[in-house]
Amino acid sequence: MSTKLGEITVGTPIALAPMAGVTNAPFRRLCREQTLQALKDLGITATDGAASGLYVCEMITARALVEGSSRTLDLIKPDPEETFRSVQLHGVDPETMYQGARMLVRQGLADHLDINFGCPVPKVTRKGAGAALPWKIERFGQIVAAVVAGARDGEKDSPRDRSVPVTAKIRIGIDADHETYRDAGKLAQKVGASAVVLHGRSANQYYSGSANWEAIAQLRQDLEIPVWGNGDIFSAEDALAMFQQTGCAGVEIGRGCQGRPWLFYDLASALNGSDNRARPNLGQVCELALRHTQMLSSWMGNEERALRDMRKHLGWYFRGFAVGGDFRRALTSANSMQELEQLFSTLDSDLPFPPAAEGKRGRRGNPRKTHLPEGWLATREVDAAAARILEAAKLDTSLDQGGY
């Protein structure tokens, strides 16, 4: 099973969704390695960088990139083993998005560009960005067209010898009364996007309830370019069901792989017709978590900072295992690699993978009203009030400084 992304063949049509504070280079490597191991076990040779799927870095702000923010440059710092690099751009200004796209491609930092039109977080949407932006349909189209043009112009001086496809990540809309996915998908296709990724929820749903896979199927019927599906894939069987029910070209995995990079082993196996599944015992999970921590420390250049960042990951890694409350509390206060190794040595490494480690993961919460600029929904045009909001938002680089 494979799919096309512009001129590029994605040999295994799976993608790691960009997640703030999660999809940095070390975690991308772990997920990619799991896919490659599954392919190896099946005797399948990954012949190019996209053969093992797409592994998208966490969202970066085009304005901060263009201004040379050190924090932003850290976020896109590639893994040396990444032969195919996917970067997600965020912004509200077409010209800045053009500049950011051209810069990334010219410097050989991206082989695929994704545009964030799906983030529902208040500090994004209240500025008219993320999941709020497709409501202003003309501006949406201008941004997609600008990134397509930036990628094309960047290719003229790029060290790579292949074109860089552009995709748009969208949601169904703001809420049930303000759906945007069908007209946004059609416009993205018209202005040159190579594919659209649809998260089957509205912005108001946030991550609650169930993803609407019927919307993914509808968009797939609407468009000639590939449609990738996102939402509620927590197992290989979920992915197979999405392919079967929607006819999507590929699946993008977000919360389902948190603390579970081996999900990509399962996905690659299933998509190639195999029943192989990764079910690591507790010792193997400890080894993976420790390696993740070591790689993160090396990547960040700061062990203490890496250990702080790993706390959320460590909680996810041991989900479902009977390790006890004292151990879980100690994980949140480990201040050195040695202390972490000592903690792991107290566990029964032969404890088998438990059924409780399966199932849904990550934040869900409840539906919530999307924080939008005042009067945003009054018209789909960029009126004077919206123009003022977007003009101020285009200068904002705060998201890359502290996450969201």
Side-chain angles (χ1 to χ4, degrees):
M1 180 183 287
S2 64
T3 188
K4 297 290 288 186
L5 196 63
E7 299 175 4
I8 294 165
T9 298
V10 183
T12 308
I14 53 179
L16 170 64
M19 293 177 281
V22 177
T23 54
N24 48 40
F27 189 70
R28 295 197 304 272
R29 180 193 288 195
L30 290 174
C31 294
R32 187 176 62 253
E33 286 177 347
Q34 291 290 322
T35 301
L36 291 170
Q37 184 62 53
L39 296 176
K40 181 179 179 181
D41 288 349
L42 294 173
I44 299 172
T45 301
T47 56
D48 65 44
S52 60
L54 308 174
Y55 300 85
V56 190
C57 80
E58 55 188 297
M59 181 182 86
I60 63 165
T61 304
R63 184 75 187 193
L65 175 67
V66 170
E67 291 182 359
S69 161
S70 59
R71 170 64 174 157
T72 302
L73 295 176
D74 280 345
L75 289 175
I76 61 170
K77 186 166 58 178
D79 183 292
E81 295 185 8
E82 282 184 302
T83 57
F84 189 89
R85 298 168 181 170
S86 295
V87 178
Q88 188 182 70
L89 276 175
H90 159 268
V92 300
D93 175 53
E95 177 57 28
T96 307
M97 293 287 277
Y98 167 85
Q99 294 174 11
R102 185 179 61 178
M103 174 181 171
L104 287 168
V105 175
R106 178 180 288 173
Q107 296 183 13
L109 293 171
D111 301 285
H112 158 228
L113 292 173
D114 187 45
I115 314 172
N116 184 298
F117 296 114
C119 182
V121 174
K123 66 168 63 177
V124 173
T125 58
R126 67 164 54 102
K127 295 178 180 179
L133 203 143
W135 181 252
K136 302 300 185 184
I137 189 65
E138 184 178 4
R139 176 60 63 93
F140 169 88
Q142 291 169 345
I143 288 175
V144 177
V147 175
V148 170
R152 182 189 61 238
D153 291 349
E155 290 164 13
K156 298 172 184 176
D157 301 310
S158 172
R160 306 297 176 95
D161 60 356
R162 56 193 177 200
S163 62
V164 173
V166 173
T167 57
K169 173 74 176 287
I170 62 176
R171 284 185 173 236
I172 290 176
I174 305 296
D175 55 36
D177 296 322
H178 301 89
E179 293 188 348
T180 57
Y181 74 104
R182 296 185 70 184
D183 55 6
K186 292 172 185 176
L187 184 53
Q189 175 177 273
K190 181 179 179 180
V191 299
S194 294
V196 173
V197 183
L198 177 60
H199 182 164
R201 286 182 171 85
S202 68
N204 274 20
Q205 281 183 274
Y206 215 67
Y207 297 97
S208 67
S210 298
N212 180 359
W213 290 4
E214 292 180 3
I216 299 170
Q218 177 63 63
L219 191 61
R220 185 254 181 185
Q221 293 178 15
D222 288 346
L223 304 185
E224 295 178 8
I225 59 174
V227 173
W228 288 54
N230 173 230
D232 292 355
I233 298 178
F234 299 100
S235 69
E237 287 64 38
D238 291 337
L240 292 175
M242 179 179 278
F243 276 109
Q244 193 275 326
Q245 292 177 32
T246 70
C248 63
V251 292
E252 187 178 75
I253 317 302
R255 296 170 296 150
C257 67
Q258 291 176 347
R260 190 166 53 182
W262 57 84
L263 177 57
F264 281 86
Y265 182 98
D266 295 356
L267 292 165
S269 298
L271 267 55
N272 284 285
S274 169
D275 292 330
N276 291 351
R277 298 292 183 269
R279 294 296 179 265
N281 62 27
L282 186 53
Q284 292 168 323
V285 170
C286 286
E287 290 174 6
L288 193 60
L290 186 61
R291 181 161 175 262
H292 187 175
T293 309
Q294 291 168 336
M295 287 197 302
L296 190 63
S297 177
S298 176
W299 185 74
M300 288 182 165
N302 186 309
E303 181 176 302
E304 185 178 352
R305 181 183 164 202
L307 283 161
R308 288 198 305 269
D309 192 77
M310 275 298 298
R311 287 171 184 169
K312 59 181 179 288
H313 292 276
L314 292 171
W316 295 331
Y317 272 115
F318 294 101
R319 177 186 162 171
F321 282 93
V323 294
D326 290 343
F327 175 83
R328 294 184 186 280
R329 283 187 289 273
L331 282 178
T332 65
S333 58
N335 292 314
S336 69
M337 207 74 69
Q338 184 178 6
E339 189 175 343
L340 193 62
E341 290 184 72
Q342 176 60 34
L343 272 173
F344 289 172
S345 72
T346 66
L347 299 175
D348 178 3
S349 61
D350 294 326
L351 195 67
F353 188 83
E358 301 280 20
K360 296 183 177 181
R361 290 186 173 222
R363 55 187 175 182
R364 290 191 288 273
N366 298 309
R368 61 184 76 178
K369 187 174 181 179
T370 305
H371 292 253
L372 298 170
E374 186 175 354
W376 190 256
L377 296 179
T379 174
R380 298 204 69 178
E381 303 293 329
V382 177
D383 57 16
R388 287 193 294 271
I389 291 292
L390 294 172
E391 185 65 21
K394 81 176 187 179
L395 301 175
D396 181 30
T397 62
S398 62
L399 288 178
D400 290 3
Q401 300 307 313
Y404 52 96

